């Protein structure tokens, strides 16, 4: 099993849901944490919990990752402080619904910044140090949506397809090193995601612990990505890539 003890992990979107659960899981394994989200009060409550239970160091950073250049600014801040990040978990993300023609321009930019630009900036900013030290972990949260474009969810599907493709290429670039990379592609999860997106989940969402365990298992096995869903959904996600686009797009409605 991969050894996280004594490492420093940066987790985005850590104030709730999967981000908070990632923090709890890594704290149990002895990782020190840098928690990033907009809601500082929630981060501080989580930090108090984890410090008292596990004795790990927890730093809370209230940052809005939808702001242009947020990832680069955060990397520059960490470098200026001499902070070494061994584990990067790009967990922050959100989705919107509705046709492309109806999307608010500001919401479009915010979604692209959080789901794509910040993920890329943090990865490209922290990866060189990992390669120099010849150790590190990068976990990028994609989605089952990465495998299928969906009408009225165009932006979210496209951003998660980017995350998956980006991570797969990154895996290939690092496979001969001791830096481990994976993308996690879960189905519906019991988080605030659907209320924020203004949609309802298709079926019963899984507990947040399920994809996290799968993510860490994928790091152990050095898999480029892992699909976390019921068997039928896993098979459908892989087969959908083989179908003609017209059929696949109609299925995604």
């Amino acid at each position: 099993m991969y050894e996280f003890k004594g490492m420093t992990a940066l987790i985005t979107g850590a104030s709730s849901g999967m981000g908070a659960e990632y923090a709890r899981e890594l704290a149990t394994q002895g990782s020190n944490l840098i928690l990033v989200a907009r809601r500082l009060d929630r981060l501080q409550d989580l930090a108090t919990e984890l410090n008292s239970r596990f004795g790990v160091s927890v730093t809370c950073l209230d940052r809005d990752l939808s702001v242009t250049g947020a990832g680069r600014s955060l990397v520059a801040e960490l470098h200026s402080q001499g902070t070494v990040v061994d584990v990067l978990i790009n967990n922050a993300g959100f989705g919107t619904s509705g046709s492309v023609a109806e999307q608010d321009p500001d919401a479009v930019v915010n979604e692209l910044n959080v789901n794509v630009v910040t993920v890329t900036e943090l990865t490209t900013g922290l990866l060189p140090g990992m390669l120099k030290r010849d150790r590190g972990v990068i976990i990028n949260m994609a989605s089952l949506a990465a495998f299928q474009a969906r009408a009225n969810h165009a932006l979210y599907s496209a951003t998660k397809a980017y995350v998956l493709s980006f991570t797969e290429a990154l895996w290939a670039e690092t496979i001969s090193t001791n830096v481990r990379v994976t993308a996690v592609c879960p189905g519906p999860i019991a988080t605030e995601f659907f209320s924020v997106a203004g949609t309802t989940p298709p079926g019963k969402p899984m507990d947040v612990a399920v994809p996290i365990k799968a993510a860490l298992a994928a790091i152990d096995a050095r898999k480029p990505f892992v699909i976390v869903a019921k068997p039928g959904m896993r098979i459908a996600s892989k087969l959908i890539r083989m179908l003609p686009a017209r059929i696949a797009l109609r299925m995604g409605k």
Side-chain angles (χ1 to χ4, degrees), residues 19-151:
E21 192 65 21
Y22 268 120
R24 292 187 178 98
E25 176 59 34
L26 291 183
T28 66
Q29 298 192 38
S31 293
N32 297 311
L33 304 170
I34 302 171
L35 306 181
V36 182
R38 290 177 300 175
R39 296 175 291 193
L40 183 59
D41 57 337
R42 291 199 183 188
L43 293 180
Q44 290 173 333
D45 289 344
L46 180 58
T48 299
E49 171 198 335
L50 299 180
N51 180 261
S52 62
R53 288 178 62 191
F54 306 108
V56 297
S57 170
V58 185
T59 300
C60 300
L61 300 176
D62 56 331
R63 300 291 184 274
D64 184 351
L65 300 181
S66 70
V67 174
T68 299
R72 282 181 294 166
S73 296
L74 180 53
V75 169
E77 179 181 343
L78 294 170
H79 285 167
S80 69
Q81 296 170 349
T83 301
V84 173
V85 175
D86 305 296
V87 180
L88 170 62
I89 300 180
N90 280 309
N91 169 75
F94 72 95
T96 53
S97 59
S99 70
V100 172
E102 298 170 338
Q103 294 296 306
D104 174 77
D106 290 334
V108 169
V109 172
N110 290 344
E111 189 169 352
L112 291 173
N113 278 342
V114 174
N115 293 9
V116 173
V117 179
T118 297
V119 169
T120 307
E121 290 179 344
L122 289 177
T123 301
T124 57
L126 297 175
L127 177 61
M130 295 181 184
L131 291 172
K132 184 177 181 180
R133 296 185 297 273
D134 196 30
R135 73 167 190 168
V137 170
I138 297 176
I139 298 174
N140 291 332
M141 292 304 301
S143 168
L144 282 185
F147 296 91
Q148 182 180 20
R150 292 184 61 202

Side-chain angles (χ1 to χ4, degrees), residues 164-174:
L164 177 57
S165 179
F166 176 66
T167 308
E168 287 180 299
L170 189 61
W171 178 91
E173 292 177 5
T174 57

